Amino acid sequence: MFCLGCVLSVVVVCKAEGFNQEQIVESFLQSLDEKCGVIDNSAASNLARGSKNPSVYVMDALKAITSDDYERLTVYFRDKVVPYIKENDRNVVRDALIMLVQDEPEIHEDTVVEVISKVKKSNLSEYEGDLATFLAGIFLYVLKNTTNIKGGKAKKFTQKYVEKARNSEKPLRKTPAPVRKEAEPEPDRDIREEKTREVLLREENIERDAIAFCMKYEEKKALIPLCQVAFVTNPTKKHESEMYNGFSLCTASTQRRILEMSEIEILDISGMDWWYQYLVMFEKDYEKYQLGDMRYLYAFAQYFPDLIHYGDASIGRFLQNVIPLKVVEPYMEAFPNYKHDIIGFLDEYLYYSGSEEYKGKLEPPMDDLWRGLQLGDADACDEFMLASVLALFIIGACQSIPSQDGPDREFHASSAPDVGDLETAEDLFYDTLLTLYEHYAKA
């Protein structure tokens, strides 16, 4: 049962007044890498309850930690994690975690459970290190060696250990007596006040930086959702867009505040290939809704990902209304020159192909585009054009395919920008990824 959720839950149960669960979980994750802390309250709750495991990005950051980082981690936990714990409960946190380890039958007595000081389970009750080192070492152990329990029961499970530690007549470990000169004044109050000032200053700086970002890019605020997608997908990439780069260089807390100000959901995704699973789901819908001949399906996985390599190349020519209507309703006869863009073309096909009147009578949209735009002819259609058309095809299909079939067909609201707000290849690439996520991850 001992896992990351247990460690986080014990600290959350013993948190000092004025702090919340999200801040505590974020502080643990940011010890590995500041960017690991971009989470919302839901993600924090899932980790603390033990219902979900850390993201791929967190585990990748863990792999980069070596013994050379141990001193830095200890200092970080002393400055950034321990202050979140109620002073009277700091021994309780340690004792509760010791009992949790001691009661875990799957951890052998000779297993090193406090990684930084290399303390084994059998010697844990004799541990004399400070709480910061202890928490940092235990945190590394659970990340490396355990997975969160199923069912989200970590908090309930650890509560009894916290109560047992609080009711214990004496601590489970030796606590070194503080060494202090006789005339030395009691520093606790000054330290608390200094910590409070530091927290307030940090919060003010976060608010200021978030406002500055939103003001600077006010004219492009529709693209802020794509900043997040660009960051979690390619956190170290230098983009052509100054806006994407600016967001990536913000601290995790500032990024979260920017998203909160813009009323944008914080995504619990990471890694360059997180979206491939949703592309596979789209390909299944391509076949299900007969969007084109199966011989064209390979193009999505082969050519669409290359769109990111075209950076700031303009996509304006691919957004034009150049596709004639296939179904002309009487009310449209007053607009004889009206034509669709690619997204409108997909919407028309999916709307009418499901009706009895037009079932089987309309040419599948990919067949039509492949022929009409000569997508298979390298002289008429270069790779950039092909990748852009495929991206718009994916967006159009996701916007028009219901996420739920049946009489009560359901469509999810999207935070992705309108394609009319997009300007470049990288805009279109990240917009497509967000559209895939919002259509399939929430299905």
Side-chain angles (χ1 to χ4, degrees):
M1 293 287 284
F2 190 61
C3 61
L4 173 62
C6 294
V7 176
L8 295 175
S9 292
V10 167
V11 176
V12 169
V13 170
C14 297
K15 67 181 177 64
E17 192 172 338
F19 299 115
N20 58 44
Q21 174 178 262
E22 184 177 346
Q23 290 173 303
I24 292 170
V25 176
E26 179 189 82
S27 69
F28 271 85
L29 299 182
Q30 286 185 332
S31 68
L32 304 175
D33 184 322
E34 189 177 58
K35 296 175 182 176
C36 290
V38 182
I39 58 172
D40 59 10
N41 187 58
S42 175
S45 178
N46 286 332
L47 288 174
R49 290 189 296 110
S51 61
K52 284 191 177 181
N53 287 302
S55 68
V56 173
Y57 190 84
V58 170
M59 300 311 291
D60 285 345
L62 174 66
K63 294 175 185 176
I65 298 295
T66 68
S67 58
D68 293 337
D69 297 296
Y70 289 172
E71 183 177 352
R72 175 188 65 79
L73 282 170
T74 297
V75 172
Y76 175 93
F77 269 76
R78 184 175 298 121
D79 293 342
K80 306 293 186 180
V81 178
V82 173
Y84 284 124
I85 303 172
K86 191 185 305 181
E87 286 191 51
N88 292 339
D89 274 349
R90 290 178 184 176
N91 284 339
V92 171
V93 167
R94 189 191 327 227
D95 291 350
L97 291 174
I98 290 174
M99 287 189 287
L100 279 162
V101 173
Q102 290 175 334
D103 286 356
E104 177 51 69
E106 293 186 6
I107 301 178
H108 298 145
E109 292 296 316
D110 60 352
T111 300
V112 173
V113 291
E114 199 276 75
V115 175
I116 291 179
S117 302
K118 296 182 172 55
V119 181
K120 296 179 181 180
K121 174 182 178 180
S122 58
N123 299 326
L124 202 57
S125 62
E126 301 173 3
Y127 182 82
E128 295 186 359
D130 67 1
L131 180 59
T133 308
F134 177 79
L135 285 175
I138 289 287
F139 176 59
L140 291 178
Y141 171 78
V142 292
L143 278 182
K144 290 180 178 180
N145 300 286
T146 73
T147 57
N148 267 341
I149 58 178
K150 304 297 181 183
K153 299 178 181 178
K155 275 191 178 179
K156 184 176 180 181
F157 177 69
T158 56
Q159 182 70 48
K160 62 181 180 181
Y161 284 90
V162 171
E163 293 304 319
K164 186 176 179 181
R166 282 176 176 160
N167 296 328
S168 177
E169 293 184 1
K170 59 181 179 178
L172 295 178
R173 76 288 164 278
K174 299 173 184 176
T175 303
V179 177
R180 185 179 299 155
K181 296 178 182 178
E182 285 187 18
E184 183 180 352
E186 174 61 48
D188 285 357
R189 181 173 180 179
D190 290 340
I191 292 174
R192 287 198 300 272
E193 290 177 351
E194 181 63 27
K195 291 297 182 184
T196 300
R197 287 194 293 270
E198 287 179 5
V199 170
L200 290 175
L201 180 60
R202 184 177 68 171
E203 290 176 349
E204 288 176 358
N205 289 338
I206 290 169
E207 192 77 7
R208 179 202 62 204
D209 293 345
I211 291 173
F213 180 91
C214 292
M215 290 174 65
K216 182 176 181 179
Y217 297 106
E218 183 177 7
E219 293 183 0
K220 291 190 173 184
K221 62 183 179 180
L223 301 185
I224 291 180
L226 304 187
C227 292
Q228 179 182 198
V229 179
F231 172 72
V232 298
T233 306
N234 289 308
T236 60
K237 179 179 174 58
K238 183 179 180 181
H239 291 91
E240 296 296 333
S241 167
E242 290 185 7
M243 184 180 185
Y244 297 164
N245 292 333
F247 184 87
S248 295
L249 291 173
C250 289
T251 66
S253 298
T254 301
Q255 288 178 346
R256 185 175 67 246
R257 187 64 186 124
I258 290 169
L259 298 175
E260 289 173 350
M261 287 178 171
S262 305
E263 297 183 347
I264 296 168
E265 175 188 0
I266 297 174
L267 305 179
D268 186 18
I269 53 178
S270 63
M272 293 185 65
D273 58 354
W274 63 266
W275 51 272
Y276 272 99
Q277 59 180 315
Y278 303 123
L279 183 62
V280 171
M281 296 169 74
F282 160 78
E283 291 173 342
K284 291 179 180 178
D285 276 345
Y286 175 95
E287 180 178 5
K288 176 181 177 180
Y289 291 95
Q290 300 176 9
L291 299 182
D293 194 291
M294 294 301 291
R295 60 183 168 169
Y296 303 135
L297 191 57
Y298 79 94
F300 291 98
Q302 182 168 335
Y303 292 106
F304 161 66
D306 292 334
L307 183 61
I308 187 59
H309 301 312
Y310 290 92
D312 63 352
S314 174
I315 60 169
R317 61 192 173 105
F318 309 126
L319 304 179
Q320 298 177 4
N321 293 44
V322 296
I323 306 172
L325 276 66
K326 308 304 177 183
V327 178
V328 182
E329 296 282 10
Y331 68 89
M332 289 301 296
E333 292 177 358
F335 308 96
N337 298 321
Y338 182 84
K339 294 181 180 180
H340 287 305
D341 61 5
I342 293 174
I343 292 176
F345 176 46
L346 265 292
D347 184 63
E348 178 193 52
Y349 175 80
L350 285 163
Y351 180 81
Y352 286 105
S353 62
S355 68
E356 289 299 323
E357 182 180 359
Y358 292 100
K359 193 170 185 179
K361 296 179 181 179
L362 299 176
E363 182 180 18
M366 181 51 72
D367 296 4
D368 189 298
L369 292 174
W370 203 274
R371 172 181 48 78
L373 300 180
Q374 303 179 69
L375 299 182
D377 185 342
D379 293 328
C381 173
D382 59 21
E383 183 183 67
F384 173 44
M385 176 179 175
L386 176 57
S388 298
V389 170
L390 293 172
L392 291 166
F393 191 97
I394 293 170
I395 293 172
C398 288
Q399 288 182 359
S400 297
I401 292 174
S403 55
Q404 176 181 303
D405 287 331
D408 299 321
R409 289 156 66 90
E410 180 180 332
F411 293 85
H412 282 300
S414 174
S415 65
D418 186 275
V419 292
D421 293 317
L422 311 179
E423 297 178 355
T424 67
E426 64 184 11
D427 290 346
L428 180 57
F429 178 73
Y430 290 123
D431 187 66
T432 307
L433 300 195
L434 181 56
T435 301
L436 282 167
Y437 173 82
E438 292 196 324
H439 182 74
Y440 291 107
K442 299 180 180 181

